[in-house]
Amino acid sequence: MAITDTDTTSLVKRPMRADARRNYDKLLGAARETFAELGTSASLEEIARRAGVGIGTLYRHFPTRQDLLEAAYLEEVQLVCDSAGDLDGLPPWEALSDWLHQVVAYVARKHALAEELWNYLDPNAELFTGCRGALYAAGEPLLQRAQEAGAVRPDANLEDILQIVGGIGKNPTTPPDRVDRVLDIALDGLRYRPA
């Protein structure tokens, strides 16, 4: 499910030339990589360097640090939402489980971005509500398909599941190499088991 154009209107105001679009994409990729590696306090100069562009190019696309943080956050959400559509060919349980593993990785990556954005925006700002809506729209069909196949308990809902996944992804005491195992144990509780 795509994040609507209204969610990104403050980030991109007009169509871009091909070279400008390439620079924009390189900057976003570099920003996501740099923020993941160095945290949200990473310098904009470092992001521009990693993207292979000048700092002026960065500022043309992202006039403020907040603009870059918002765009990187939106890109992370869009990637995890798009990944749900790539799982249609898998069996229902496997599709849902695979997507939730992608969500937990996304939560771990975007948590620092979200915390930084809370310095600028209210947690109920349109940016966050639009992203939550997109996640629900992407995940609901996977959950429904798994429930219809009898693979997931019928009383489970996506809000509960995303809270579980979010808690696992944000838990600073869980070593990164154990997150998937902890998630698998939690997901085992979703499986439908007739009485």
Side-chain angles (χ1 to χ4, degrees):
M1 173 56 62
I3 298 170
T4 64
D5 290 338
T6 59
D7 297 329
T8 59
T9 52
S10 66
L11 302 174
V12 180
K13 298 199 187 303
R14 64 190 189 313
M16 289 187 227
R17 296 182 330 258
D19 61 331
R21 173 47 85 183
R22 279 190 300 275
N23 286 340
Y24 179 89
D25 291 342
K26 287 193 299 189
L27 283 163
L28 265 185
R32 289 177 45 243
E33 174 188 300
T34 307
F35 289 146
E37 183 183 328
L38 304 176
T40 55
S41 62
S43 76
L44 298 181
E45 291 80 5
E46 175 64 13
I47 293 168
R49 185 191 67 72
R50 288 183 181 201
V53 301
I55 192 70
T57 299
L58 183 145
Y59 281 116
R60 270 191 299 282
H61 289 287
F62 306 102
T64 68
R65 181 178 197 80
Q66 180 182 347
D67 291 333
L68 182 58
L69 289 165
E70 286 182 21
Y73 185 86
L74 284 169
E75 173 114 335
E76 289 283 346
V77 173
Q78 189 64 58
L79 289 171
V80 80
C81 289
D82 290 348
S83 72
D86 298 336
L87 303 170
D88 287 342
L90 296 177
W93 171 257
E94 192 176 326
L96 178 63
S97 178
D98 283 4
W99 186 70
L100 292 172
H101 277 272
Q102 292 178 44
V103 171
V104 81
Y106 144 78
V107 167
R109 286 190 311 269
K110 70 96 182 168
H111 185 65
L113 284 174
E115 284 189 350
E116 181 67 20
L117 285 169
W118 291 336
N119 292 328
Y120 305 103
L121 302 168
D122 182 274
N124 292 316
E126 188 176 332
L127 172 77
F128 297 123
T129 59
C131 289
R132 277 192 298 272
L135 276 174
Y136 280 83
E140 282 290 347
L142 296 172
L143 175 59
Q144 184 177 15
R145 190 164 69 102
Q147 287 173 322
E148 288 170 357
V152 172
R153 47 191 292 172
D155 63 333
N157 65 55
L158 195 60
E159 183 176 1
D160 294 336
I161 295 168
L162 290 179
Q163 286 210 330
I164 292 166
V165 171
I168 293 168
K170 292 178 199 175
N171 187 343
T173 63
T174 305
D177 62 335
R178 299 208 19 106
V179 169
D180 283 334
R181 176 172 161 66
V182 171
L183 180 59
D184 284 336
I185 292 168
L187 292 181
D188 194 45
L190 286 177
R191 288 188 182 269
Y192 178 69
R193 292 178 176 84

